[in-house]
Amino acid sequence: MVLHKENVKVLDVQSDWLQSYISSPEKQQQLYKRTLMVVVISQIFGGAGLAAGVTVGALLAQDMLGTDSVTGIPTALFTLGSAGAALLVGRLSQRFGRRSGLAAGFLAGGIGAIGVVISALTNSILLLFISLLIYGAGTATNLQARYAGSDLANSTQRAKSISMAMVSTTFGAVAGPNLVDVMGEFAISIGIPALAGPFILAAAAYILAGLVLLILLRPDPFIVANAISDAQRTTSNLPLEENSILLSINKRGIFAGASVMVLTQFVMTAIMTMTPIHMGHHGHALKDVGLVIGFHIGAMFLPSLVTGYLVDKIGRAVMATASAITLLISGSLAAMGPADSMVVLITALALLGLGWNFGLISGTAILVDATPPSTRAKTQGSVDVLIALSGALGGGLSGIIVAGSSYSTLSIVGGVLSLFLIPVVIWSRGSEK
């Protein structure tokens, strides 16, 4: 009986705590701003962790396996790992809140990065593959953090809040590739292969990102948003027919948003994965690779504030169409430009990142518009599984295509595939707000 009374007391306290946010728009806005600040800090660290695998993952596999044909495997593995992690992070967030889900994902990514370092030190291919799968949890969490900022945002703030989470990733993500040489020298100084150096940085960065969220993301924005939604639903009396129409629009929006993000992820990952190998074949040094990938990742995240403003201002469908056109130009330039030109490579990869940025932010906004808080985190996690799987497929196929044909063929095919975004967004215009 005593235990029962204590449980009731805890529930009453929690109810009172949530009620203070439900009844106060001012407190909601304060928590919205605080959440964005915490997400920004965690994403700075998370971006640095993300950059390691993108920059040297393929090169490390090439060095350990001694062949080019399997250099797409690292990207495939950590994106495949991110698929499973996306599902788990989404389910954890739905049940326990963003704080628990995101912190667990980043900490797992840090453990995976430590495993990669150990695999390089022991020259263990099996441990490398297992560690890359676990490392993928950081990639998934880095993406899912963009949703946390939108939990308490209204429909005119959503793309902006998503973009703020993404742009903060730039600081770490751009610094990461440009620290390749520094981290390589540090790794050598402690008896670790140079290419494992960036993963030392990744381990520290992901673990710090997880700790920031675990300690500072209080109150949890997702739990508050759910409580507000429940309160609004109990006070509304929508006719059954209107509820049915809204459900249909939601399903359409979920499909459209997912399609935009999945296709842009596939094209971007495929071309990006093979660029370091392509550069190595044409005599570019490791620092050149770091510079090109640094510009690429910068373009993936740095324009986010402008992109978010445009998505909210001129519409989701327009910016998704802009994504398709930008990716086509990027693929064409990468295929037809001189391989020894750093200017061409930087421009092509920057456009590749920009096209991805347009697609991810517009697609995410479409998805958030279409999902109520009661199912939002779970649905977002499921969609991010598809995004990760498309990245894994793109990374895996890219090595096979280049080995069987050429980097130019890969780039052209990727650019043309991106055009399929256009009919998808035309069809989805009916669900755009």
Short mmCIF file of all heavy atoms in Angstrom, two decimals, residues 69-139:
data_model
loop_
_atom_site.label_atom_id
_atom_site.label_comp_id
_atom_site.label_asym_id
_atom_site.label_seq_id
_atom_site.Cartn_x
_atom_site.Cartn_y
_atom_site.Cartn_z
N SER A 69 38.27 -2.81 -54.78
CA SER A 69 36.90 -3.26 -55.06
C SER A 69 36.02 -3.32 -53.82
O SER A 69 34.79 -3.36 -53.93
CB SER A 69 36.92 -4.63 -55.74
OG SER A 69 37.51 -5.59 -54.89
N VAL A 70 36.63 -3.34 -52.64
CA VAL A 70 35.84 -3.43 -51.41
C VAL A 70 35.91 -2.15 -50.59
O VAL A 70 35.51 -2.13 -49.43
CB VAL A 70 36.31 -4.62 -50.54
CG1 VAL A 70 35.99 -5.94 -51.22
CG2 VAL A 70 37.79 -4.51 -50.23
N THR A 71 36.41 -1.08 -51.18
CA THR A 71 36.57 0.16 -50.42
C THR A 71 35.24 0.84 -50.11
O THR A 71 35.19 1.75 -49.29
CB THR A 71 37.48 1.14 -51.19
OG1 THR A 71 37.04 1.24 -52.55
CG2 THR A 71 38.92 0.67 -51.15
N GLY A 72 34.15 0.39 -50.76
CA GLY A 72 32.84 0.92 -50.40
C GLY A 72 32.26 0.24 -49.18
O GLY A 72 31.26 0.70 -48.62
N ILE A 73 32.89 -0.86 -48.72
CA ILE A 73 32.36 -1.63 -47.60
C ILE A 73 32.30 -0.83 -46.30
O ILE A 73 31.29 -0.90 -45.59
CB ILE A 73 33.15 -2.94 -47.41
CG1 ILE A 73 32.81 -3.91 -48.55
CG2 ILE A 73 32.84 -3.59 -46.06
CD1 ILE A 73 33.53 -5.24 -48.47
N PRO A 74 33.34 -0.04 -45.92
CA PRO A 74 33.22 0.72 -44.68
C PRO A 74 32.01 1.64 -44.64
O PRO A 74 31.28 1.68 -43.64
CB PRO A 74 34.53 1.53 -44.64
CG PRO A 74 35.49 0.69 -45.39
CD PRO A 74 34.69 0.08 -46.50
N THR A 75 31.78 2.37 -45.73
CA THR A 75 30.60 3.24 -45.77
C THR A 75 29.33 2.42 -45.68
O THR A 75 28.38 2.79 -44.97
CB THR A 75 30.59 4.08 -47.06
OG1 THR A 75 31.77 4.87 -47.11
CG2 THR A 75 29.38 5.00 -47.11
N ALA A 76 29.31 1.30 -46.38
CA ALA A 76 28.14 0.42 -46.32
C ALA A 76 27.91 -0.09 -44.91
O ALA A 76 26.77 -0.14 -44.43
CB ALA A 76 28.32 -0.75 -47.29
N LEU A 77 28.99 -0.45 -44.22
CA LEU A 77 28.87 -1.00 -42.87
C LEU A 77 28.40 0.04 -41.86
O LEU A 77 27.47 -0.21 -41.08
CB LEU A 77 30.21 -1.60 -42.42
CG LEU A 77 30.57 -2.95 -43.02
CD1 LEU A 77 32.00 -3.34 -42.67
CD2 LEU A 77 29.61 -4.03 -42.53
N PHE A 78 29.05 1.22 -41.85
CA PHE A 78 28.61 2.16 -40.82
C PHE A 78 27.26 2.80 -41.15
O PHE A 78 26.54 3.23 -40.25
CB PHE A 78 29.68 3.18 -40.40
CG PHE A 78 30.10 4.22 -41.40
CD1 PHE A 78 29.27 5.23 -41.79
CD2 PHE A 78 31.40 4.20 -41.90
CE1 PHE A 78 29.67 6.20 -42.67
CE2 PHE A 78 31.83 5.18 -42.78
CZ PHE A 78 30.96 6.18 -43.18
N THR A 79 26.87 2.81 -42.42
CA THR A 79 25.51 3.26 -42.73
C THR A 79 24.49 2.16 -42.43
O THR A 79 23.37 2.45 -42.01
CB THR A 79 25.39 3.73 -44.19
OG1 THR A 79 25.95 2.75 -45.05
CG2 THR A 79 26.10 5.03 -44.41
N LEU A 80 24.89 0.89 -42.63
CA LEU A 80 24.02 -0.22 -42.25
C LEU A 80 23.85 -0.25 -40.73
O LEU A 80 22.74 -0.45 -40.21
CB LEU A 80 24.62 -1.54 -42.73
CG LEU A 80 23.74 -2.79 -42.60
CD1 LEU A 80 22.46 -2.64 -43.41
CD2 LEU A 80 24.51 -4.03 -43.04
N GLY A 81 24.96 -0.03 -40.01
CA GLY A 81 24.88 0.06 -38.56
C GLY A 81 24.00 1.22 -38.11
O GLY A 81 23.25 1.11 -37.14
N SER A 82 24.05 2.31 -38.86
CA SER A 82 23.22 3.46 -38.50
C SER A 82 21.74 3.18 -38.73
O SER A 82 20.89 3.77 -38.07
CB SER A 82 23.65 4.70 -39.31
OG SER A 82 23.24 4.62 -40.65
N ALA A 83 21.44 2.24 -39.65
CA ALA A 83 20.04 1.87 -39.88
C ALA A 83 19.45 1.22 -38.64
O ALA A 83 18.37 1.59 -38.17
CB ALA A 83 19.94 0.92 -41.08
N GLY A 84 20.17 0.22 -38.10
CA GLY A 84 19.70 -0.42 -36.88
C GLY A 84 19.64 0.55 -35.72
O GLY A 84 18.70 0.54 -34.92
N ALA A 85 20.65 1.41 -35.63
CA ALA A 85 20.69 2.39 -34.55
C ALA A 85 19.55 3.40 -34.67
O ALA A 85 18.98 3.82 -33.66
CB ALA A 85 22.03 3.11 -34.54
N ALA A 86 19.22 3.79 -35.90
CA ALA A 86 18.13 4.75 -36.11
C ALA A 86 16.82 4.20 -35.56
O ALA A 86 16.04 4.92 -34.91
CB ALA A 86 17.99 5.08 -37.59
N LEU A 87 16.59 2.91 -35.80
CA LEU A 87 15.37 2.27 -35.31
C LEU A 87 15.37 2.25 -33.78
O LEU A 87 14.37 2.61 -33.14
CB LEU A 87 15.27 0.85 -35.85
CG LEU A 87 13.98 0.09 -35.53
CD1 LEU A 87 12.78 0.80 -36.16
CD2 LEU A 87 14.09 -1.34 -36.02
N LEU A 88 16.50 1.87 -33.19
CA LEU A 88 16.58 1.79 -31.74
C LEU A 88 16.50 3.16 -31.08
O LEU A 88 15.81 3.34 -30.07
CB LEU A 88 17.89 1.09 -31.33
CG LEU A 88 17.98 -0.40 -31.67
CD1 LEU A 88 19.37 -0.93 -31.36
CD2 LEU A 88 16.92 -1.19 -30.92
N VAL A 89 17.20 4.14 -31.66
CA VAL A 89 17.16 5.50 -31.10
C VAL A 89 15.75 6.07 -31.19
O VAL A 89 15.26 6.72 -30.26
CB VAL A 89 18.18 6.42 -31.82
CG1 VAL A 89 17.97 7.88 -31.42
CG2 VAL A 89 19.61 6.00 -31.49
N GLY A 90 15.08 5.81 -32.32
CA GLY A 90 13.70 6.28 -32.48
C GLY A 90 12.77 5.65 -31.46
O GLY A 90 11.92 6.33 -30.86
N ARG A 91 12.91 4.33 -31.24
CA ARG A 91 12.06 3.64 -30.27
C ARG A 91 12.36 4.11 -28.84
O ARG A 91 11.44 4.31 -28.04
CB ARG A 91 12.26 2.13 -30.38
CG ARG A 91 11.84 1.52 -31.73
CD ARG A 91 10.35 1.67 -31.97
NE ARG A 91 9.97 1.24 -33.31
CZ ARG A 91 9.61 -0.01 -33.63
NH1 ARG A 91 9.64 -0.96 -32.71
NH2 ARG A 91 9.23 -0.30 -34.87
N LEU A 92 13.65 4.26 -28.52
CA LEU A 92 14.02 4.76 -27.19
C LEU A 92 13.47 6.17 -26.96
O LEU A 92 12.96 6.48 -25.88
CB LEU A 92 15.54 4.77 -27.04
CG LEU A 92 16.22 3.44 -26.72
CD1 LEU A 92 17.74 3.60 -26.79
CD2 LEU A 92 15.82 2.93 -25.34
N SER A 93 13.58 7.02 -27.99
CA SER A 93 13.09 8.40 -27.88
C SER A 93 11.58 8.42 -27.71
O SER A 93 11.06 9.24 -26.92
CB SER A 93 13.51 9.21 -29.11
OG SER A 93 14.91 9.29 -29.23
N GLN A 94 10.86 7.56 -28.43
CA GLN A 94 9.41 7.52 -28.33
C GLN A 94 8.98 7.11 -26.92
O GLN A 94 8.02 7.65 -26.37
CB GLN A 94 8.84 6.53 -29.34
CG GLN A 94 7.32 6.53 -29.42
CD GLN A 94 6.77 7.79 -30.07
OE1 GLN A 94 7.14 8.15 -31.17
NE2 GLN A 94 5.88 8.49 -29.37
N ARG A 95 9.72 6.17 -26.33
CA ARG A 95 9.33 5.64 -25.03
C ARG A 95 9.87 6.46 -23.86
O ARG A 95 9.15 6.67 -22.86
CB ARG A 95 9.80 4.19 -24.90
CG ARG A 95 9.33 3.52 -23.62
CD ARG A 95 9.55 2.03 -23.65
NE ARG A 95 9.03 1.40 -22.45
CZ ARG A 95 9.08 0.10 -22.20
NH1 ARG A 95 9.60 -0.72 -23.10
NH2 ARG A 95 8.59 -0.40 -21.09
N PHE A 96 11.11 6.91 -23.95
CA PHE A 96 11.76 7.56 -22.81
C PHE A 96 12.11 9.03 -23.04
O PHE A 96 12.56 9.70 -22.11
CB PHE A 96 13.04 6.80 -22.42
CG PHE A 96 12.80 5.37 -22.05
CD1 PHE A 96 13.22 4.34 -22.90
CD2 PHE A 96 12.17 5.03 -20.87
CE1 PHE A 96 13.00 3.01 -22.57
CE2 PHE A 96 11.96 3.70 -20.53
CZ PHE A 96 12.38 2.69 -21.38
N GLY A 97 11.97 9.51 -24.29
CA GLY A 97 12.30 10.90 -24.59
C GLY A 97 13.58 11.03 -25.39
O GLY A 97 14.36 10.08 -25.53
N ARG A 98 13.79 12.20 -25.97
CA ARG A 98 14.95 12.46 -26.82
C ARG A 98 16.27 12.28 -26.04
O ARG A 98 17.25 11.79 -26.58
CB ARG A 98 14.91 13.88 -27.37
CG ARG A 98 13.71 14.19 -28.25
CD ARG A 98 13.82 13.54 -29.60
NE ARG A 98 12.71 13.97 -30.46
CZ ARG A 98 12.37 13.41 -31.60
NH1 ARG A 98 13.07 12.37 -32.05
NH2 ARG A 98 11.36 13.86 -32.31
N ARG A 99 16.28 12.72 -24.80
CA ARG A 99 17.50 12.69 -24.00
C ARG A 99 18.09 11.28 -23.94
O ARG A 99 19.27 11.07 -24.21
CB ARG A 99 17.20 13.23 -22.61
CG ARG A 99 18.34 13.12 -21.62
CD ARG A 99 17.96 13.81 -20.30
NE ARG A 99 18.85 13.37 -19.24
CZ ARG A 99 18.58 12.36 -18.41
NH1 ARG A 99 17.43 11.71 -18.54
NH2 ARG A 99 19.42 12.02 -17.47
N SER A 100 17.28 10.33 -23.58
CA SER A 100 17.75 8.94 -23.45
C SER A 100 18.17 8.36 -24.80
O SER A 100 19.23 7.75 -24.93
CB SER A 100 16.66 8.07 -22.83
OG SER A 100 16.33 8.51 -21.54
N GLY A 101 17.33 8.55 -25.82
CA GLY A 101 17.61 7.97 -27.13
C GLY A 101 18.87 8.54 -27.77
O GLY A 101 19.74 7.78 -28.24
N LEU A 102 19.00 9.86 -27.77
CA LEU A 102 20.14 10.49 -28.44
C LEU A 102 21.44 10.26 -27.68
O LEU A 102 22.49 10.01 -28.28
CB LEU A 102 19.89 11.99 -28.60
CG LEU A 102 18.72 12.39 -29.51
CD1 LEU A 102 18.53 13.90 -29.52
CD2 LEU A 102 18.93 11.88 -30.92
N ALA A 103 21.40 10.32 -26.36
CA ALA A 103 22.61 10.09 -25.57
C ALA A 103 23.12 8.67 -25.78
O ALA A 103 24.33 8.44 -25.96
CB ALA A 103 22.35 10.34 -24.09
N ALA A 104 22.22 7.69 -25.78
CA ALA A 104 22.62 6.29 -25.98
C ALA A 104 23.25 6.10 -27.36
O ALA A 104 24.25 5.38 -27.50
CB ALA A 104 21.40 5.37 -25.82
N GLY A 105 22.68 6.74 -28.37
CA GLY A 105 23.21 6.60 -29.73
C GLY A 105 24.61 7.16 -29.88
O GLY A 105 25.49 6.52 -30.48
N PHE A 106 24.85 8.35 -29.34
CA PHE A 106 26.18 8.96 -29.43
C PHE A 106 27.23 8.16 -28.65
O PHE A 106 28.36 7.97 -29.12
CB PHE A 106 26.16 10.40 -28.92
CG PHE A 106 25.78 11.41 -29.97
CD1 PHE A 106 24.81 12.38 -29.71
CD2 PHE A 106 26.39 11.40 -31.22
CE1 PHE A 106 24.47 13.32 -30.69
CE2 PHE A 106 26.06 12.34 -32.19
CZ PHE A 106 25.09 13.29 -31.92
N LEU A 107 26.86 7.68 -27.47
CA LEU A 107 27.82 6.90 -26.68
C LEU A 107 28.18 5.60 -27.38
O LEU A 107 29.35 5.18 -27.37
CB LEU A 107 27.23 6.63 -25.29
CG LEU A 107 27.07 7.87 -24.39
CD1 LEU A 107 26.33 7.52 -23.10
CD2 LEU A 107 28.42 8.50 -24.06
N ALA A 108 27.19 4.97 -28.02
CA ALA A 108 27.48 3.75 -28.79
C ALA A 108 28.42 4.05 -29.96
O ALA A 108 29.34 3.28 -30.25
CB ALA A 108 26.18 3.14 -29.31
N GLY A 109 28.21 5.19 -30.64
CA GLY A 109 29.09 5.59 -31.73
C GLY A 109 30.52 5.78 -31.26
O GLY A 109 31.48 5.40 -31.96
N GLY A 110 30.70 6.33 -30.06
CA GLY A 110 32.04 6.50 -29.49
C GLY A 110 32.71 5.18 -29.22
O GLY A 110 33.91 5.00 -29.49
N ILE A 111 31.96 4.21 -28.73
CA ILE A 111 32.50 2.87 -28.48
C ILE A 111 32.93 2.23 -29.80
O ILE A 111 33.98 1.58 -29.89
CB ILE A 111 31.46 2.01 -27.75
CG1 ILE A 111 31.24 2.54 -26.33
CG2 ILE A 111 31.91 0.54 -27.71
CD1 ILE A 111 30.07 1.91 -25.61
N GLY A 112 32.12 2.41 -30.85
CA GLY A 112 32.47 1.86 -32.16
C GLY A 112 33.76 2.46 -32.70
O GLY A 112 34.59 1.74 -33.28
N ALA A 113 33.94 3.76 -32.52
CA ALA A 113 35.16 4.42 -32.99
C ALA A 113 36.40 3.87 -32.26
O ALA A 113 37.45 3.67 -32.87
CB ALA A 113 35.06 5.93 -32.79
N ILE A 114 36.26 3.62 -30.97
CA ILE A 114 37.36 3.01 -30.21
C ILE A 114 37.69 1.64 -30.79
O ILE A 114 38.86 1.26 -30.93
CB ILE A 114 36.99 2.90 -28.71
CG1 ILE A 114 36.89 4.30 -28.09
CG2 ILE A 114 38.02 2.06 -27.96
CD1 ILE A 114 36.33 4.30 -26.67
N GLY A 115 36.65 0.89 -31.15
CA GLY A 115 36.85 -0.43 -31.76
C GLY A 115 37.60 -0.36 -33.08
O GLY A 115 38.44 -1.23 -33.37
N VAL A 116 37.32 0.68 -33.89
CA VAL A 116 38.03 0.85 -35.17
C VAL A 116 39.52 1.07 -34.92
O VAL A 116 40.38 0.52 -35.61
CB VAL A 116 37.44 2.02 -35.98
CG1 VAL A 116 38.31 2.32 -37.20
CG2 VAL A 116 36.02 1.71 -36.42
N VAL A 117 39.84 1.88 -33.93
CA VAL A 117 41.24 2.15 -33.59
C VAL A 117 41.94 0.85 -33.18
O VAL A 117 43.06 0.55 -33.63
CB VAL A 117 41.35 3.20 -32.46
CG1 VAL A 117 42.80 3.36 -32.02
CG2 VAL A 117 40.79 4.54 -32.92
N ILE A 118 41.28 0.07 -32.35
CA ILE A 118 41.86 -1.20 -31.89
C ILE A 118 42.03 -2.16 -33.06
O ILE A 118 43.05 -2.87 -33.16
CB ILE A 118 40.99 -1.83 -30.79
CG1 ILE A 118 40.97 -0.93 -29.56
CG2 ILE A 118 41.51 -3.23 -30.42
CD1 ILE A 118 39.99 -1.37 -28.48
N SER A 119 41.08 -2.18 -33.99
CA SER A 119 41.17 -3.09 -35.15
C SER A 119 42.35 -2.71 -36.04
O SER A 119 43.03 -3.59 -36.59
CB SER A 119 39.87 -3.05 -35.95
OG SER A 119 39.71 -1.82 -36.64
N ALA A 120 42.60 -1.41 -36.19
CA ALA A 120 43.74 -0.97 -37.00
C ALA A 120 45.06 -1.33 -36.30
O ALA A 120 46.03 -1.72 -36.95
CB ALA A 120 43.68 0.54 -37.24
N LEU A 121 45.06 -1.23 -34.99
CA LEU A 121 46.26 -1.55 -34.21
C LEU A 121 46.59 -3.04 -34.28
O LEU A 121 47.76 -3.44 -34.35
CB LEU A 121 46.07 -1.11 -32.77
CG LEU A 121 47.26 -1.22 -31.81
CD1 LEU A 121 48.42 -0.34 -32.30
CD2 LEU A 121 46.84 -0.80 -30.41
N THR A 122 45.54 -3.88 -34.27
CA THR A 122 45.73 -5.34 -34.28
C THR A 122 45.60 -5.94 -35.67
O THR A 122 45.75 -7.15 -35.84
CB THR A 122 44.69 -6.00 -33.35
OG1 THR A 122 43.36 -5.67 -33.82
CG2 THR A 122 44.85 -5.52 -31.92
N ASN A 123 45.30 -5.07 -36.67
CA ASN A 123 45.09 -5.52 -38.05
C ASN A 123 44.01 -6.60 -38.15
O ASN A 123 44.13 -7.57 -38.90
CB ASN A 123 46.40 -6.04 -38.66
CG ASN A 123 46.36 -6.05 -40.19
OD1 ASN A 123 45.73 -5.18 -40.80
ND2 ASN A 123 46.98 -7.04 -40.80
N SER A 124 42.94 -6.41 -37.41
CA SER A 124 41.83 -7.37 -37.39
C SER A 124 40.70 -6.88 -38.28
O SER A 124 40.01 -5.91 -37.96
CB SER A 124 41.32 -7.55 -35.96
OG SER A 124 40.13 -8.32 -35.95
N ILE A 125 40.50 -7.54 -39.41
CA ILE A 125 39.43 -7.17 -40.34
C ILE A 125 38.06 -7.39 -39.71
O ILE A 125 37.15 -6.57 -39.85
CB ILE A 125 39.55 -7.98 -41.65
CG1 ILE A 125 40.91 -7.74 -42.32
CG2 ILE A 125 38.42 -7.62 -42.61
CD1 ILE A 125 41.16 -6.30 -42.68
N LEU A 126 37.90 -8.52 -39.00
CA LEU A 126 36.61 -8.82 -38.37
C LEU A 126 36.22 -7.74 -37.37
O LEU A 126 35.08 -7.26 -37.36
CB LEU A 126 36.66 -10.19 -37.68
CG LEU A 126 35.39 -10.62 -36.94
CD1 LEU A 126 34.21 -10.71 -37.91
CD2 LEU A 126 35.61 -11.95 -36.22
N LEU A 127 37.17 -7.34 -36.52
CA LEU A 127 36.89 -6.29 -35.53
C LEU A 127 36.61 -4.97 -36.22
O LEU A 127 35.75 -4.20 -35.77
CB LEU A 127 38.07 -6.15 -34.57
CG LEU A 127 37.92 -5.08 -33.47
CD1 LEU A 127 36.69 -5.37 -32.61
CD2 LEU A 127 39.18 -5.01 -32.61
N LEU A 128 37.30 -4.69 -37.33
CA LEU A 128 37.05 -3.46 -38.09
C LEU A 128 35.59 -3.41 -38.55
O LEU A 128 34.91 -2.40 -38.37
CB LEU A 128 37.97 -3.37 -39.30
CG LEU A 128 37.71 -2.22 -40.27
CD1 LEU A 128 38.01 -0.88 -39.61
CD2 LEU A 128 38.51 -2.39 -41.55
N PHE A 129 35.11 -4.51 -39.15
CA PHE A 129 33.75 -4.54 -39.67
C PHE A 129 32.71 -4.41 -38.54
O PHE A 129 31.73 -3.67 -38.67
CB PHE A 129 33.52 -5.84 -40.45
CG PHE A 129 34.25 -5.89 -41.77
CD1 PHE A 129 34.30 -7.06 -42.51
CD2 PHE A 129 34.89 -4.77 -42.28
CE1 PHE A 129 34.96 -7.12 -43.74
CE2 PHE A 129 35.56 -4.81 -43.50
CZ PHE A 129 35.59 -5.99 -44.22
N ILE A 130 32.94 -5.13 -37.43
CA ILE A 130 32.01 -5.04 -36.29
C ILE A 130 31.99 -3.63 -35.71
O ILE A 130 30.93 -3.06 -35.43
CB ILE A 130 32.39 -6.06 -35.20
CG1 ILE A 130 32.19 -7.48 -35.72
CG2 ILE A 130 31.57 -5.84 -33.94
CD1 ILE A 130 32.72 -8.57 -34.79
N SER A 131 33.19 -3.05 -35.59
CA SER A 131 33.30 -1.71 -35.01
C SER A 131 32.65 -0.66 -35.89
O SER A 131 32.03 0.30 -35.39
CB SER A 131 34.77 -1.37 -34.76
OG SER A 131 35.35 -2.27 -33.86
N LEU A 132 32.78 -0.80 -37.22
CA LEU A 132 32.15 0.15 -38.13
C LEU A 132 30.63 0.10 -38.02
O LEU A 132 29.95 1.13 -38.15
CB LEU A 132 32.60 -0.12 -39.56
CG LEU A 132 34.03 0.33 -39.90
CD1 LEU A 132 34.47 -0.22 -41.25
CD2 LEU A 132 34.15 1.84 -39.89
N LEU A 133 30.09 -1.10 -37.81
CA LEU A 133 28.64 -1.22 -37.61
C LEU A 133 28.20 -0.43 -36.38
O LEU A 133 27.21 0.31 -36.42
CB LEU A 133 28.26 -2.69 -37.44
CG LEU A 133 28.11 -3.53 -38.71
CD1 LEU A 133 27.98 -5.00 -38.36
CD2 LEU A 133 26.89 -3.08 -39.52
N ILE A 134 28.96 -0.58 -35.28
CA ILE A 134 28.61 0.12 -34.04
C ILE A 134 28.85 1.62 -34.18
O ILE A 134 28.06 2.45 -33.70
CB ILE A 134 29.42 -0.46 -32.86
CG1 ILE A 134 29.11 -1.95 -32.70
CG2 ILE A 134 29.10 0.29 -31.56
CD1 ILE A 134 30.01 -2.66 -31.70
N TYR A 135 29.94 1.98 -34.86
CA TYR A 135 30.26 3.38 -35.12
C TYR A 135 29.10 4.08 -35.85
O TYR A 135 28.87 5.28 -35.65
CB TYR A 135 31.54 3.45 -35.95
CG TYR A 135 31.89 4.82 -36.51
CD1 TYR A 135 32.43 5.81 -35.70
CD2 TYR A 135 31.69 5.11 -37.86
CE1 TYR A 135 32.77 7.04 -36.21
CE2 TYR A 135 32.03 6.34 -38.38
CZ TYR A 135 32.56 7.31 -37.56
OH TYR A 135 32.88 8.54 -38.08
N GLY A 136 28.38 3.33 -36.66
CA GLY A 136 27.25 3.89 -37.39
C GLY A 136 26.16 4.46 -36.50
O GLY A 136 25.36 5.29 -36.95
N ALA A 137 26.12 4.04 -35.22
CA ALA A 137 25.13 4.60 -34.30
C ALA A 137 25.31 6.11 -34.15
O ALA A 137 24.34 6.85 -34.00
CB ALA A 137 25.25 3.92 -32.94
N GLY A 138 26.55 6.57 -34.21
CA GLY A 138 26.81 8.00 -34.12
C GLY A 138 26.25 8.76 -35.31
O GLY A 138 25.70 9.85 -35.18
N THR A 139 26.39 8.15 -36.49
CA THR A 139 25.85 8.77 -37.71
C THR A 139 24.34 8.91 -37.63
O THR A 139 23.77 9.96 -37.95
CB THR A 139 26.22 7.91 -38.94
OG1 THR A 139 27.63 7.69 -38.96
CG2 THR A 139 25.80 8.60 -40.23
#
